[in-house]
Amino acid sequence: MAYDHKAIEAKWQERWESEGIFHTHVDPSRPKFYNVAMYPYPSGELHIGHVRNYTYIDLITRYKMMQGYNVLSPMGWDSFGLPAENLAIETGIHPRISVENQIARMKEHFRKLGAAFDWSRELASHDPAFYRWDQWLFLELFDRGLAYKATAPVNWCPRDQTVLANEQVVDGACERCGTLVEKRNLAQWFFKITEYADRLLDDLDGLDDWPDRVRTMQRNWIGRSEGARFGIEVEGMDESFEVFTTRPDTIFGMTFCVLAPEHPLVGKLIAGGENEGVARDYITRAARESEIERMAEGDKTGVFTGRFAVNPVNGQPVPIYIADYVLMGYGTGAIMAVPGQDQRDWDFATKYGLDIVRTVQPPADWDGQAYLGDGGTINSGFLNGLDQLAAKERIIAWFEEQSIGDRAIQYRLRDWLISRQRYWGCPIPMIDCPECGLVPVPRDDLPVELPDVEDFAPQGQSPLATVEEWVITTCPECGGEARRETDTMDTFVDSSWYFFRYTDPNNSEAIFDPDKADYWMPVDQYIGGVEHAILHLLYARFVTKFLHDIGLSTVDEPFMRMFTQGMLVKDGAKMSKSKGNVVPPDRYYEGYGADALRLFELFVGPPTDDAVWNDSGVPGTKRFLDRVWKMGTASHGFSERAPNHADAELIAATHRTVKKVTEDIDRFHFNTIVSSLMALANEFQTYLSGEPRAEAFDEAYKTMILMLAPAAPHISHELWELRNYQGMLAREPWPTWNEDLVTEATVTMVVQVNGKVRDRVEVASDISPEDAEELALSLEKVQGWIDGASVSKVIARPPNLINFVVG
RNA sequence: GCCCGGGUGGCGGAAUGCAGACGCGAGGGGCUUAAACCCCCUUGAGCCGAAUCGGCUCGUGUGGGUUCGAAUCCCACCCCGGGCACCA
C-alpha cells in the first residue's frame, strides 16, 4: 500500500511552521551550528538542480539539530541583477515586481520541499533595508582608501549605444543586434582587494575543511609571483618602459621585447615607422577581442614596431614587438622575451625568425623547445655558472646598484571593478561636486534609494542618469548643486556579506550587532555550486577580513567548512532555461512526494560531482519509502519465541548502519547513506519473512526512522507519531551505535596467490598473522595454485587479506 | 590558451588490498479474468567442463610505469565539464 504522501507532507509542513521549530535565537548555553546555502537568484522557477542543493543543506540542518546543536539555517534572495533587468527591458515590468513575484513562487517551492529554514531572518538584496548597508560598506571602504575611481574599459555596442556585460557579447558581437562590440574607457569604481592579496593567499592554508581544488583555484587566481621589475631604454629615443619578470636571471637571453597593444608607449614607437599602418590595424583588431579570445588563439601573433630596445646588461639592441598575448592588465603590460626559457616566447621567436639564446644549460638530449628547469647559467657574463636562485639574487643586486630596477612581487589578482552601468543594482552613494570633487553621501542620508525610471535600457550610462530630479542634488559639503553617481554596484557586493546580515537581519541602526555576529560566525557549513569557487568566495573572504579590521567581526574568515556541489545535467547538457531542459520539481510533489524527491536528489550521485537526471529515479525512491511505510504500519504476526541469532543479527545490522550513515553524513557521502538505508530495509524484509519478534523489530525500526528523519522528514515524522513515540521527531537525539555490536566476530578473508584472488575463507576477526597464514596455506585451491613452488614472500593483512608471492 | 575537476556494466553509481554495493532499466516467473501495483529470480564480456553447479581468462578512457598487489599512486596522450574577473 502506498502511503498518502500529499496529506502527510502538508500536515507536517503545517506543524513545523506553526510550532516554529526552526526559529533560532542566540543561546550561549548550547553549541551553535551556522548552516548556509548560497542564497539563490530568484529566477522564479526552482528546478531540480536547486533542489539538490537545498536538500543537502536541509539534511545537515536536521541532522545537526538532532545532534543537539543550536542550528541557524537562513534563506534569502540575491535579487539584484541582469535577468530581472533584461525582463524589464523586454516587457516594461518593473524588476521589483517581477522579482518579488518570483520570490513568492520560490518560497512556495521551498515549503513544499519541507525545507527547514528560519524564515524570520529572510532577506533580499534589492530591499533598501538591506542595500543601505552595501552603501555603508562602500563608504567604510572609501574612507580607508579601499574604494577608488579609475578608468577601465567596458564592452560597448555602437549601434544600441549601451554597455554590455561579457555574457551579452557573443563571438565579439552584441548578442541582440550582432554589431561588433568595441572597448570604451569609462571612469569606474574599484575595491582595492589587491591590498589584501597576501592575507587572502596565506589564510587559505588554515582552511583545512575546504576542498583542495577550491583552495588551489584561489591560490592560482591570486597568482603571487616573485621576481624583479626594471626599466628598459628605447634606442634612439628618450623613452623607456618597465617590465616585470619572474626570471631576471635569464636577462642575457632577452632577444626581443613585447608590449601589449594598449601600452601607452606604443603610439610613439610606431609613429612614422615603416610598420605604422600594419601596427594600427593590429591594435584595432586586438581591442575588439576579449582577453579570453586573445589568450585562446593557439598561434601567437604580433607586429614589429620598427624600434629597438637596449638590453641593459649587455647593451645589445633587441626588436620591440606588440603582441596580444601580453595583457595591459597584468604586470606592467610589457615583457622581456626570453625564448630560451619561456615556451610562449619560444613559439613567438620561431614564428617571426627571432634569435634564441639559451642562458640555462638544458639536459643533453633537450631540443626543440624552451627549457624551464634549473641547470646552471650560461652565455650570461657575470652570471655564468650560478644556479637559478643565486643568479636571481645577483642580477637583482646589479639592478639596484645601477638604479634601474629592484625586487618585486606581482599578483595576477586585479582590483575588483564594482561599477555597473545598470539600473537593477544598489546605487553607489557618492556625489560629484564641481567645487568639492567626489563627496560621500553622509551616513544619515542612507539609503540612497533606487528611483523609478521610464526606460530600463542602458544608454551609454546607467539608466539612472536619465532621472534628472534624482541625479541633481546638493553637495553635502558646500551645499552647491552637484550630481549623484549613476553607476550601481556589482551584485557580488551584496553576496560578499549577506551571511553577516542573517545574524541580525532587522537591525536598522547598524549593518549588524557585533555580539550577535560573534555568536553565529563563522559559518560552520557553506554550500553552493563549484562555479562560485573563485570570485564569490574570494570577495566574501575579502569583505570579512575588512569587517574584521574595522572591529565589527571577531573572525577574519567567513566559512569554516566549504562544500561545492556538482551540477545536474540532463540530455547531455547543464540544466538551464536557455537549453530548455529544465526539470521543475512540481511534477514529483504530486505523484511521489517531496520525501521521494529529496531521497533521489541525495541518491543521484556523489554531491561533489555533476549528476545526470533520470526520470525513473524518483519512482525508485518512492518504492523504497512505500516499503518502509508498509513495514511500519502492517501487522506482522510476531512470534513469542525466545530471542535467537536472527534477532541479534537484525540489531547488529542496524548498529552497523547507524555507524555508516553517521560517518557518511559527516564526510558528505549523501548518496551512500540512501544505499545503506535501502540495504537495511532489505535486511528487515528478510527478518520479517522468518519468525520475527516484536521487541527486536521495534527497536531496529525505531532506529531506522531516526536515521531517515533528516533525509525524508515528512514520512519519518508521521511514522514516529503513528508508532506512538513521544515528542517531535525533529527534536529527538540522533542514534548512536555500540561498537561491540558493529564489530563482527568472523569475517571473510581473501586469499591471493601472486595478487590474484584464489580463495576465500571465514576467519575470526582477531586472527593472528601466523594462524591466518597456516589456515590459508592449508586450503586446497591455494595449494593447487602454489603447486609445489616455493613461497618467496607472504603479505598478511589479517583478517581481510593474505597474499602469497610465488616464484 | 591558462587554472581546476572528471572518465568504472545498457544507465546513475559503489569500492583506498575481493571491481560492479545500492538503485534504475531490461529479461524471465508469480499474483490477477486482465492490467497496474506488489513479490521472486537473472543481468560486465568471453570461455572451459561430466553444465542452475564448479572453474578459467579478460575487464575501470588510451599507452606506459611503480608495486607482492593499481579503478585507486606516477608519466604521457585522448575526451568531457567548471572557471577565466560585467551571468549568478
Side-chain angles (χ1 to χ4, degrees):
Chain A
M1 228 350 246
Y3 70 103
D4 185 354
H5 58 268
K6 275 188 279 185
I8 290 172
E9 292 181 357
K11 167 184 165 184
W12 286 100
Q13 284 155 16
E14 161 60 29
R15 282 277 282 281
W16 295 326
E17 220 167 285
S18 62
E19 297 193 23
I21 66 162
F22 304 117
H23 279 226
T24 319
H25 304 283
V26 168
D27 177 1
S29 70
R30 281 197 296 157
K32 64 95 184 179
F33 193 90
Y34 187 15
N35 197 32
V36 184
M38 288 179 187
Y39 71 164
Y41 179 81
S43 57
E45 293 313 320
L46 200 63
H47 64 65
I48 53 174
H50 297 111
V51 172
R52 190 181 183 201
N53 192 193
Y54 302 115
T55 300
Y56 295 155
I57 206 82
D58 199 63
L59 175 108
I60 295 165
T61 297
R62 292 171 180 273
Y63 169 70
K64 288 290 174 185
M65 269 180 77
M66 292 175 81
Q67 287 189 327
Y69 289 91
N70 185 23
V71 181
L72 170 55
S73 185
M75 182 46 62
W77 313 100
D78 186 14
S79 46
F80 272 139
L82 211 48
E85 182 158 330
N86 285 341
L87 187 73
I89 293 168
E90 266 173 50
T91 64
I93 300 171
H94 196 289
R96 186 183 307 113
I97 312 278
S98 60
V99 150
E100 286 177 4
N101 280 334
Q102 287 165 347
I103 287 174
R105 297 233 300 279
M106 287 180 81
K107 273 184 86 166
E108 183 56 23
H109 277 295
F110 278 128
R111 210 179 65 85
K112 284 187 176 166
L113 188 64
F117 294 123
D118 180 352
W119 287 108
S120 71
R121 295 170 185 268
E122 179 181 3
L123 54 79
S125 44
H126 77 284
D127 180 356
F130 178 88
Y131 70 68
R132 77 175 279 190
W133 302 109
D134 276 330
Q135 295 171 342
W136 179 86
L137 177 69
F138 179 98
L139 296 175
E140 292 292 311
L141 287 158
F142 179 79
D143 284 351
R144 290 164 181 78
L146 293 170
Y148 66 93
K149 208 166 189 183
T151 3
V154 293
N155 301 308
W156 175 257
C157 174
R159 176 170 160 158
D160 293 351
Q161 296 281 298
T162 67
V163 174
L164 298 176
N166 285 344
E167 196 194 40
Q168 298 171 304
V169 180
V170 181
D171 295 328
C174 172
E175 76 172 350
R176 204 162 291 143
C177 67
T179 311
L180 278 184
V181 169
E182 298 172 354
K183 289 280 189 322
R184 194 175 251 222
N185 282 317
L186 291 180
Q188 306 188 74
W189 287 96
F190 289 83
F191 287 164
K192 211 173 195 173
I193 190 172
T194 51
E195 186 99 356
Y196 281 72
D198 273 324
R199 284 166 69 189
L200 289 167
L201 187 66
D202 294 344
D203 292 350
L204 285 171
D205 293 339
L207 298 176
D208 295 330
D209 289 324
W210 279 42
D212 285 336
R213 65 165 158 166
V214 173
R215 291 200 287 174
T216 307
M217 281 191 269
Q218 293 227 345
R219 256 182 218 115
N220 294 340
W221 185 261
I222 296 167
R224 181 188 152 104
S225 46
E226 296 180 20
R229 194 188 293 256
F230 62 95
I232 296 180
E233 307 271 325
V234 180
E235 193 181 53
M237 283 178 92
D238 188 20
E239 295 288 351
S240 67
F241 57 92
E242 276 213 314
V243 298
F244 171 81
T245 176
T246 56
R247 295 293 306 272
D249 56 298
T250 64
I251 187 168
F252 282 89
M254 169 172 108
T255 53
F256 58 103
C257 287
V258 186
L259 303 189
E262 303 87 350
H263 196 285
L265 197 58
V266 167
K268 281 185 189 164
L269 294 181
I270 60 176
E274 50 181 305
N275 265 350
E276 183 167 1
V278 184
R280 292 211 181 280
D281 286 350
Y282 185 80
I283 293 164
T284 311
R285 252 179 303 138
R288 283 211 198 98
E289 293 191 337
S290 71
E291 282 186 14
I292 296 172
E293 287 163 337
R294 282 168 57 164
M295 307 296 280
E297 279 171 18
D299 206 17
K300 308 264 173 290
T301 59
V303 175
F304 178 44
T305 57
R307 292 283 183 175
F308 290 83
V310 182
N311 188 335
V313 283
N314 57 14
Q316 290 291 315
V318 298
I320 305 174
Y321 275 71
I322 51 176
D324 63 8
Y325 75 98
V326 173
L327 303 176
M328 198 56 224
Y330 180 69
T332 60
I335 61 163
M336 68 167 202
V338 185
Q341 275 78 229
D342 183 289
Q343 190 59 40
R344 284 182 309 177
D345 297 345
W346 175 284
D347 295 340
F348 194 86
T350 308
K351 182 169 174 183
Y352 292 100
L354 299 162
D355 293 343
I356 297 174
V357 175
R358 292 197 188 275
T359 61
V360 178
Q361 183 64 54
D365 55 347
W366 194 268
D367 200 18
Q369 55 182 314
Y371 177 66
L372 281 64
D374 207 344
T377 307
I378 55 171
N379 301 325
S380 294
F382 60 88
L383 299 179
N384 278 340
L386 298 175
D387 66 20
Q388 194 181 124
L389 204 66
K392 271 186 189 172
E393 292 304 316
R394 181 71 194 85
I395 189 69
I396 289 171
W398 186 84
F399 286 151
E400 287 169 349
E401 285 161 25
Q402 304 289 316
S403 301
I404 59 168
D406 51 21
R407 188 183 306 278
I409 292 168
Q410 179 66 44
Y411 298 93
R412 212 187 69 94
L413 180 69
R414 310 205 284 252
D415 276 340
W416 176 11
L417 195 170
I418 61 140
S419 281
R420 299 290 182 270
Q421 296 71 39
R422 295 275 161 193
Y423 173 71
W424 193 231
C426 169
I428 293 175
M430 293 296 292
I431 291 168
D432 194 357
C433 170
E435 297 299 320
C436 315
L438 292 171
V439 178
V441 173
R443 304 290 200 280
D444 288 346
D445 293 350
L446 298 183
V448 177
E449 287 206 41
L450 254 187
D452 284 335
V453 297
E454 298 287 314
D455 185 359
F456 297 101
Q459 295 142 356
Q461 307 175 75
S462 159
L464 293 182
T466 63
V467 191
E468 277 290 297
E469 64 275 20
W470 180 84
V471 174
I472 295 175
T473 184
T474 52
C475 171
E477 283 185 9
C478 69
E481 189 177 295
R483 296 177 67 82
R484 288 188 188 279
E485 172 62 59
T486 58
D487 283 356
T488 53
M489 291 186 213
D490 180 5
T491 56
F492 274 129
V493 177
D494 314 318
S495 57
S496 65
W497 67 277
Y498 74 106
F499 42 88
F500 276 100
R501 185 69 180 173
Y502 281 139
T503 67
D504 190 16
N506 301 312
N507 196 327
S508 57
E509 303 302 315
I511 185 168
F512 53 82
D513 175 349
D515 291 337
K516 288 182 178 166
D518 184 39
Y519 176 76
W520 290 112
M521 288 294 288
V523 173
D524 293 277
Q525 180 65 60
Y526 197 45
I527 299 188
V530 67
E531 66 275 17
H532 293 293
I534 296 177
L535 290 179
H536 162 60
L537 292 176
L538 197 65
Y539 296 148
R541 294 181 58 225
F542 161 59
V543 170
T544 301
K545 287 181 190 304
F546 176 73
L547 292 171
H548 172 264
D549 292 353
I550 62 175
L552 283 182
S553 170
T554 52
V555 300
D556 71 348
E557 281 291 338
F559 312 123
M560 287 288 284
R561 190 171 179 189
M562 175 67 219
F563 182 79
T564 50
Q565 97 203 9
M567 292 179 310
L568 267 186
V569 172
K570 177 123 202 307
D571 308 324
K574 170 183 176 174
M575 211 171 278
S576 74
K577 252 186 187 166
S578 55
K579 297 247 167 53
N581 60 353
V582 166
V583 180
D586 309 50
R587 63 172 84 161
Y588 297 111
Y589 295 137
E590 190 70 16
Y592 306 97
D595 283 336
L597 174 62
R598 293 167 58 118
L599 226 42
F600 184 64
E601 293 273 5
L602 296 171
F603 190 51
V604 69
T608 47
D609 293 3
D610 290 350
V612 181
W613 191 256
N614 172 354
D615 284 326
S616 55
V618 178
T621 47
K622 176 64 160 59
R623 262 199 290 276
F624 162 69
L625 290 175
D626 281 335
R627 282 214 307 278
V628 171
W629 178 264
K630 199 159 43 175
M631 279 182 239
T633 54
S635 56
H636 295 296
F638 287 115
S639 167
E640 296 294 327
R641 64 173 171 75
N644 67 10
H645 177 73
D647 309 315
E649 192 37 55
L650 181 73
I651 299 298
T654 309
H655 278 250
R656 280 196 294 272
T657 307
V658 172
K659 177 176 176 161
K660 173 99 168 79
V661 168
T662 305
E663 289 173 351
D664 280 354
I665 293 179
D666 287 338
R667 58 182 190 145
F668 278 70
H669 285 207
F670 300 142
N671 50 332
T672 52
I673 72 175
V674 181
S675 309
S676 302
L677 290 171
M678 285 173 167
L680 181 62
N682 293 343
E683 297 270 341
F684 277 72
Q685 301 276 54
T686 309
Y687 178 76
L688 288 170
S689 68
E691 277 188 281
R693 293 183 82 242
E695 292 80 358
F697 175 77
D698 288 348
E699 181 188 337
Y701 191 81
K702 182 178 180 181
T703 305
M704 183 164 69
I705 301 174
L706 286 164
M707 285 192 278
L708 199 56
H714 308 85
I715 187 175
S716 312
H717 277 72
E718 182 69 14
L719 283 166
W720 187 261
E721 191 178 73
L722 275 177
R723 293 176 68 81
N724 292 318
Y725 297 123
Q726 298 305 302
M728 172 93 77
L729 177 56
R731 295 196 174 104
E732 287 299 308
W734 181 252
T736 53
W737 68 90
N738 178 337
E739 198 62 51
D740 292 340
L741 288 178
V742 167
T743 316
E744 296 182 71
T746 65
V747 296
T748 305
M749 183 173 74
V750 166
V751 185
Q752 298 182 334
V753 178
N754 286 337
K756 287 193 188 297
V757 181
R758 295 308 182 188
D759 206 355
R760 294 177 173 84
V761 61
E762 202 69 14
V763 299
S765 51
D766 58 356
I767 191 168
S768 71
E770 294 75 25
D771 291 351
E773 181 177 341
E774 191 182 337
L775 176 66
L777 270 179
S778 72
L779 296 168
E780 209 176 299
K781 279 187 203 162
V782 175
Q783 278 303 322
W785 281 98
I786 293 175
D787 194 24
S790 66
V791 174
S792 58
K793 197 171 176 183
V794 179
I795 288 109
R797 299 279 180 277
N800 298 313
L801 177 136
I802 189 161
N803 182 18
F804 297 104
V805 184
V806 176

